[in-house]
């Protein structure tokens, strides 16, 4: 499985499921594929998570969710994956663009966190459903890049966040 095939899987799941069920539907769809393709999907997923391991995106998650631990950032990026390729890639380029996303606006209005822990285990769930066995531990590797040191500041610094993420700051009345 390659990235494009993975993104097609996510788009199909998005078309067939309610937003909170995209991960489950993606796992169901993936479970019907050959065993080797299911296992390969785990590497693609972790490659995308590593690609999205960026300090500006972490700052955006911090604003959106009112704080963001290491695990919380993983779960936020899981949610971001379930939003599809265009939203994912746009957010990597411009995290502040998330202010225009309907779910982010809804989260701001309702005080909800945007997280999807189950997205991190789409391939694990699919492999077990499709084969009856656990995904082999050697099916993937992950290596996170170093975070951008220019974003190494306290995300509670409302002035700095407002300067770097003005639309999200305004949406969440970050102060």
């Amino acid at each position: 499985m390659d990235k494009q095939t993975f993104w097609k899987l996510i788009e199909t799941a998005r078309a067939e499921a309610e937003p909170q069920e995209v991960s489950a539907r993606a796992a169901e769809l993936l479970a019907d594929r050959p065993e080797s393709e299911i296992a390969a999907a785990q590497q693609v997923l972790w490659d995308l998570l590593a690609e999205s391991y960026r300090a500006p995106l972490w700052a955006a998650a911090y604003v959106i969710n009112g704080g963001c631990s290491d695990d919380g950032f993983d779960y936020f990026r899981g949610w971001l994956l379930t939003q599809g390729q265009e939203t994912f890639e746009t957010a990597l380029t411009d995290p502040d663009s998330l202010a225009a996303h309907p779910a982010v606006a809804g989260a701001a209005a309702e005080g909800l966190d945007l997280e999807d822990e189950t997205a991190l285990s789409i391939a694990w769930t699919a492999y077990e459903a499709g084969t009856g066995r656990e995904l082999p531990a050697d099916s993937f590797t992950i290596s996170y890049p170093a975070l951008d040191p220019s974003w190494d500041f306290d995300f509670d610094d409302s002035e700095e966040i407002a300067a770097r993420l003005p639309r999200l700051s305004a949406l969440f009345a970050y102060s």
Side-chain angles (χ1 to χ4, degrees), residues 6-31:
F6 182 83
W7 284 123
K8 287 178 187 173
L9 175 80
I10 295 297
E11 287 306 319
T12 301
R14 287 177 51 73
E16 296 178 3
E18 295 296 320
Q20 66 277 12
E21 298 298 323
V22 172
S23 295
R25 182 64 185 136
E28 290 170 359
L29 293 167
L30 186 57

Side-chain angles (χ1 to χ4, degrees), residues 16-139:
E16 296 178 3
E18 295 296 320
Q20 66 277 12
E21 298 298 323
V22 172
S23 295
R25 182 64 185 136
E28 290 170 359
L29 293 167
L30 186 57
D32 291 335
R33 294 180 180 247
E35 181 177 338
S36 62
E37 194 171 340
I38 300 169
Q42 184 66 18
Q43 186 62 59
V44 172
L45 188 145
W46 282 108
D47 288 348
L48 289 168
L49 289 174
E51 185 179 329
S52 64
Y53 189 78
R54 298 179 181 190
L57 187 61
W58 201 331
Y62 193 93
V63 171
I64 291 167
N65 287 342
C68 192
S69 67
D70 292 351
D71 287 346
F73 188 44
D74 286 342
Y75 306 155
F76 175 81
R77 288 179 297 137
W79 169 82
L80 188 58
L81 279 170
T82 66
Q83 303 312 296
Q85 182 177 8
E86 183 177 345
T87 299
F88 182 87
E89 290 176 353
T90 300
L92 296 189
T93 303
D94 177 14
D96 204 34
S97 69
L98 287 168
H101 191 286
V104 174
E110 299 176 33
L112 301 174
D113 286 348
L114 297 179
E115 299 181 330
D116 189 347
E117 182 179 0
T118 61
L120 307 179
S121 60
I122 289 171
W124 287 91
T125 303
Y127 195 88
E128 190 169 292
T131 68
R133 300 183 316 275
E134 288 189 11
L135 184 69
D138 63 353
S139 297

